[in-house]
């Protein structure tokens, strides 16, 4: 009985430790993007490894002064096209329906 | 919109739906192959609810097939310098190799809004209906309802792309475009686009100095049938400036010294430059407002005779 209790206690501690570790990785805001055919890793991924981040220039990373969570962002003035803010602005990502802006020509 | 501008397509043209268009999936208004909608109705459905079936129907109507239309899209992207972009389809449903970047989305959004501002008639619709009220449309871009000055433009999301938005807004004379890609949730994409726009509007303003064809000066012309010509702005003159510094902008006008006839309307005669602390912010050409022909002996005599007649009358 005592032995069973010990095993249960140890198992609980192990499970708790793993949960705490996975939660702390899950809330990280690093994105992993690869240009090959693998789909983009979803936000809830437990894997965070800075060497997996490709196509992200180190300059852009430092420009995220507005602390945005999104993968990339840019702000421009419309008449001149002048860029007022950028964060990973050249990272190639899937546009989804924003594609349709192009069909309006 | 280009085809509407050049008359190839009109808002009242009707478009039917092929089996391919009908089977698109994703966001759609459930087009039936037996029904037709006008271009106006299709644009509404695409802008407000991002209807994939309407996009394909329009693409097939304009180019004959979706593939041919996608080629047109890629050609246009290349022309605009969208070097991060490759389109594989016209609706944006996930497909390998169908990619772009925030920078390129900003480029194409800007091009659309500058060349075809009429599109905002559709992109600012919050709620509408089609098919005599049977289909209700509510805009996927929630900023249309909440953000002062919002003019568009387009949302996009899939399970792989996550949440994207190209948002455009105008306050006073300043028009901004904010692009968000791969936001983790719909709430974050709208709040971060708003954060970007707020940042832009709080930090910058657009100082307008004059519109295209405004007369800046009247200058003398040598050897012309008229002795002066109005010098006008070739384009709208204005510059982006940090808020608070508008009154510090200095303006300088440079004009050619010896203007001699013949002059053609539109000839460049000088330029106006706007600077701040010695740094040039913007410049616009100054051009002749009309033709001035070179004076000849005949026109000189005619002028003298008219002067005499005027003198005798007064």
């Amino acid at each position: 009985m005592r032995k069973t209790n010990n095993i249960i206690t140890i198992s609980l501690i192990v499970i708790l430790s793993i949960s705490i570790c996975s939660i702390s990785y899950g809330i990280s805001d690093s994105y992993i993007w690869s240009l090959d055919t693998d789909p983009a890793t979803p936000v809830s991924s437990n894997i965070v490894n800075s060497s997996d981040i490709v196509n992200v220039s180190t300059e852009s990373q430092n420009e995220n002064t507005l602390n945005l969570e999104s993968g990339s962002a840019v702000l421009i003035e419309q008449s001149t096209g002048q860029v007022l803010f950028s964060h990973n602005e050249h990272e190639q990502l899937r546009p989804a329906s924003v594609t349709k802006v192009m069909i309006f020509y | 919109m280009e085809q509407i501008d050049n008359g190839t397509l009109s808002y009242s043209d009707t478009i039917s739906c092929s089996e391919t268009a009908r089977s698109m999936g994703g966001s759609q208004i459930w087009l039936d192959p037996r029904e037709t909608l006008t271009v106006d109705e299709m644009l509404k459905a695409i802008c407000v609810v991002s209807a994939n079936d309407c996009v394909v129907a329009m693409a097939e109507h304009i180019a004959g097939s979706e593939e041919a239309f996608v080629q047109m899209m890629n050609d246009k992207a290349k022309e605009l310098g969208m070097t991060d972009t490759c389109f594989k389809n016209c609706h944006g449903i996930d497909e390998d190799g169908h990619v772009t970047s925030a920078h390129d989305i900003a480029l194409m959004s800007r091009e659309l809004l500058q060349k075809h501002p009429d599109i905002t008639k559709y992109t600012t619709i919050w709620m509408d209906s089609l098919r005599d009220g049977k289909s209700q449309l509510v805009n996927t871009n929630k900023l249309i309802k909440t953000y002062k000055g919002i003019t568009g433009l387009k949302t996009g999301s899939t399970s792989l792309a996550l949440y994207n938005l190209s948002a455009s807004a105008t306050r006073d004379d300043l028009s901004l475009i904010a692009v968000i890609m791969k936001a983790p949730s719909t709430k974050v994409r709208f709040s971060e686009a708003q954060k970007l726009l707020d940042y832009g509007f709080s930090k910058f303003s657009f100082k307008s100095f004059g519109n295209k064809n405004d007369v800046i000066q009247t200058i003398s012309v040598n050897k012309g049938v008229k002795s002066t010509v109005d010098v006008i702005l070739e384009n709208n003159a204005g510059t982006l400036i940090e808020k608070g510094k508008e009154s510090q902008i200095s303006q300088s006008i440079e004009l050619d010294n010896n203007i001699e006839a013949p002059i053609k309307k539109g000839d460049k005669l000088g330029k106006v430059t706007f600077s701040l602390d010695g740094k040039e912010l913007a410049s616009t050409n100054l051009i002749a407002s009309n033709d001035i022909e070179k004076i000849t002996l005949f026109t000189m005599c005619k002028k003298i005779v008219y002067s005499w007649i005027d003198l005798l009358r007064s």
Side-chain angles (χ1 to χ4, degrees):
Chain A
M1 184 65 184
R2 210 188 144 108
K3 209 173 173 185
T4 318
N5 275 347
N6 281 344
I7 290 169
I8 292 170
T9 311
I10 290 166
S11 309
L12 277 172
I13 291 169
V14 168
I15 292 168
L16 204 60
S17 312
I18 293 172
S19 308
I20 290 167
C21 287
S22 55
I23 287 167
S24 67
Y25 278 127
I27 60 173
S28 160
D29 60 1
S30 294
Y31 284 89
I32 301 167
W33 176 257
S34 163
L35 278 180
D36 65 20
T37 52
D38 289 341
T41 313
V43 180
S44 56
S45 165
N46 293 336
I47 303 164
V48 174
N49 185 343
S50 60
S51 64
D52 284 344
I53 301 174
V54 294
N55 251 20
V56 172
S57 78
T58 48
E59 304 168 308
S60 318
Q61 291 281 44
N62 293 336
E63 286 169 9
N64 191 3
T65 50
L66 292 181
N67 291 319
L68 302 178
E69 284 179 62
S70 304
S72 69
V74 81
L75 176 72
I76 65 168
E77 190 278 315
Q78 188 181 303
S79 65
T80 56
Q82 192 177 333
V83 177
L84 306 178
F85 178 92
S86 78
H87 170 59
N88 295 341
E89 62 172 325
H90 289 289
E91 187 170 348
Q92 285 178 304
L93 297 169
R94 298 171 194 262
S97 288
V98 184
T99 303
K100 294 174 178 114
V101 171
M102 204 57 172
I103 79 132
F104 293 133
Y105 291 104
Chain B
M1 295 302 283
E2 268 179 3
Q3 295 210 341
I4 286 174
D5 285 347
N6 68 28
T8 318
L9 194 66
S10 107
Y11 286 115
S12 55
D13 283 353
T14 50
I15 299 181
S16 54
C17 167
S18 66
E19 273 305 318
T20 322
R22 192 174 77 91
S23 64
M24 270 338 293
S27 48
Q28 55 191 301
I29 60 164
W30 310 103
L31 283 178
D32 189 295
R34 292 162 296 181
E35 80 175 304
T36 59
L37 291 184
T38 61
V39 167
D40 172 72
E41 287 166 325
M42 289 242 168
L43 282 176
K44 213 186 269 186
I46 296 167
C47 289
V48 179
V49 298
S50 200
N52 292 331
D53 42 5
C54 293
V55 167
V56 174
M58 279 205 63
E60 289 173 344
H61 182 86
I62 290 170
S65 70
E66 191 193 345
E67 292 73 24
F69 191 82
V70 172
Q71 186 56 52
M72 284 168 68
M73 287 167 66
N74 280 318
D75 290 343
K76 184 75 187 181
K78 196 170 169 188
E79 197 185 299
L80 293 177
M82 290 164 57
T83 51
D84 304 325
T85 300
C86 175
F87 294 121
K88 293 287 187 192
N89 59 55
C90 58
H91 36 71
I93 291 176
D94 287 326
E95 195 174 329
D96 288 335
H98 183 81
V99 291
T100 185
S101 64
H103 169 269
D104 283 6
I105 290 178
L107 265 185
M108 66 175 175
S109 302
R110 176 183 172 237
E111 181 75 6
L112 177 63
L113 290 163
Q114 290 290 99
K115 296 266 166 68
H116 308 289
D118 280 355
I119 197 69
T120 58
K121 282 194 308 205
Y122 295 98
T123 55
T124 51
I125 295 172
W126 173 239
M127 275 175 76
D128 207 319
S129 63
L130 289 176
R131 297 167 171 139
D132 296 323
K134 293 194 195 84
S135 303
Q136 292 297 313
L137 309 175
V138 180
N139 206 316
T140 53
N141 181 2
K142 304 307 168 198
L143 294 182
I144 295 297
K145 196 162 186 228
T146 59
Y147 198 81
K148 180 183 153 204
I150 195 86
T151 54
L153 187 63
K154 192 73 197 70
T155 57
S157 64
T158 66
S159 55
L160 297 179
L162 299 182
Y163 296 87
N164 302 329
L165 175 64
S166 174
S168 57
T170 299
R171 288 184 182 175
D172 299 320
D173 286 330
L174 180 59
S175 292
L176 299 175
I177 299 171
V179 178
I180 293 284
M181 290 190 85
K182 210 173 167 191
S185 72
T186 184
K187 197 174 163 193
V188 167
R189 79 168 145 189
F190 289 124
S191 67
E192 295 201 340
Q194 180 165 326
K195 201 173 182 181
L196 274 180
L197 291 170
D198 284 346
Y199 163 78
F201 286 125
S202 66
K203 196 163 177 209
F204 298 98
S205 59
F206 193 84
K207 180 80 181 148
S208 177
F209 299 107
N211 295 322
K212 186 174 171 178
N213 297 332
D214 278 356
V215 176
I216 300 300
Q217 265 188 41
T218 305
I219 57 173
S220 46
V221 177
N222 298 329
K223 300 182 185 171
V225 296
K226 285 205 176 133
S227 55
T228 59
V229 69
D230 283 343
V231 167
I232 59 176
L233 286 172
E234 187 180 31
N235 291 310
N236 293 341
T239 180
L240 187 69
I241 187 86
E242 277 183 45
K243 268 199 162 132
K245 294 191 177 172
E246 295 90 333
S247 55
Q248 297 170 33
I249 299 172
S250 58
Q251 171 187 297
S252 76
I253 294 177
E254 293 162 37
L255 283 166
D256 293 346
N257 277 333
N258 253 332
I259 311 278
E260 226 175 70
I263 295 173
K264 279 248 159 302
K265 179 178 172 178
D267 276 355
K268 183 181 165 185
L269 301 177
K271 73 175 180 180
V272 57
T273 307
F274 305 99
S275 316
L276 180 71
D277 297 334
K279 195 178 159 204
E280 182 178 314
L281 296 172
S283 74
T284 303
N285 285 338
L286 296 172
I287 58 175
S289 59
N290 43 263
D291 295 341
I292 306 271
E293 283 164 21
K294 193 169 177 181
I295 203 160
T296 59
L297 192 60
F298 175 71
T299 50
M300 212 186 309
C301 293
K302 209 164 99 174
K303 210 173 166 182
I304 292 171
V305 166
Y306 283 148
S307 312
W308 281 346
I309 293 171
D310 281 338
L311 261 174
L312 287 170
R313 274 201 193 139
S314 59

